[in-house]
Amino acid sequence: MKAITFEERISTRGDGDTKDLTPDVARRVEESGVREGTATVFVSGSTAGVTTIEFEPGVVRDLRDCLERLAPRDIPYAHEEAWHDGNGHSHVRAGLLGPSLVVPIQNGRLALGRWQQIVLVDFDNRPRKRTWTLTVMGI
């Protein structure tokens, strides 16, 4: 069993900017030489999340609209009372999505569905440079 960790940086625009990480994750899995195991993707920070979707404009917009309904930006948040930084909704949205994702590796490849991609979503109210980590474990 081996474990290999890669750290990557990505620039985002904030406000729900969604980035497809799939090609980078797939390349790193291939580089690792792991044939059977798992790939864990994690984004640092409390205002971004990681999930899988079909990465196409309609689904990206639908996810953004859904999260706006669940955690609207224009309602009061207790976070705002303490910090006054305008991103209370960003923290709640990131909490709903979660910071990590585990994908099985089978025969040296990510076991994703045909229309399934790994995405990072930045919910903050400003552009950011995000650090995400990939840990590949297996044999």
Side-chain angles (χ1 to χ4, degrees):
M1 179 80 108
K2 64 179 169 179
I4 302 165
T5 299
F6 304 94
E7 189 173 276
E8 304 280 345
R9 304 246 321 151
I10 192 167
S11 294
T12 66
R13 296 185 315 269
D15 289 323
D17 190 16
T18 304
K19 301 290 189 178
D20 183 3
L21 302 182
T22 312
D24 292 326
V25 174
R27 177 177 50 83
R28 292 298 196 171
V29 166
E30 186 177 328
E31 288 174 13
S32 77
V34 169
R35 302 285 303 147
E36 303 291 331
T38 58
T40 302
V41 180
F42 174 83
V43 61
S44 300
S46 61
T47 57
V50 177
T51 191
T52 63
I53 61 171
E54 179 179 350
F55 185 68
E56 62 87 21
V59 175
V60 170
R61 186 176 65 242
D62 291 340
L63 179 61
R64 186 177 305 128
D65 291 349
C66 174
L67 289 166
E68 180 63 32
R69 289 188 297 274
L70 291 172
R73 72 181 66 238
D74 60 355
I75 65 170
Y77 288 91
H79 175 78
E80 298 302 320
E81 294 174 23
W83 300 101
H84 309 287
D85 56 3
N87 71 352
H89 67 286
S90 306
H91 291 278
V92 173
R93 291 175 187 188
L96 290 170
L97 203 60
S100 65
L101 173 74
V102 178
V103 179
I105 299 169
Q106 298 172 330
N107 297 315
R109 299 181 57 151
L110 294 168
L112 294 170
R114 180 177 177 148
W115 304 111
Q116 187 177 31
Q117 288 81 43
I118 301 166
V119 297
L120 181 150
V121 185
D122 188 342
F123 298 109
D124 213 339
N125 57 357
R126 62 186 175 89
R128 301 288 303 258
K129 286 195 184 336
R130 294 290 182 180
T131 300
W132 61 274
T133 304
L134 169 65
T135 301
V136 181
M137 296 180 62
I139 54 174

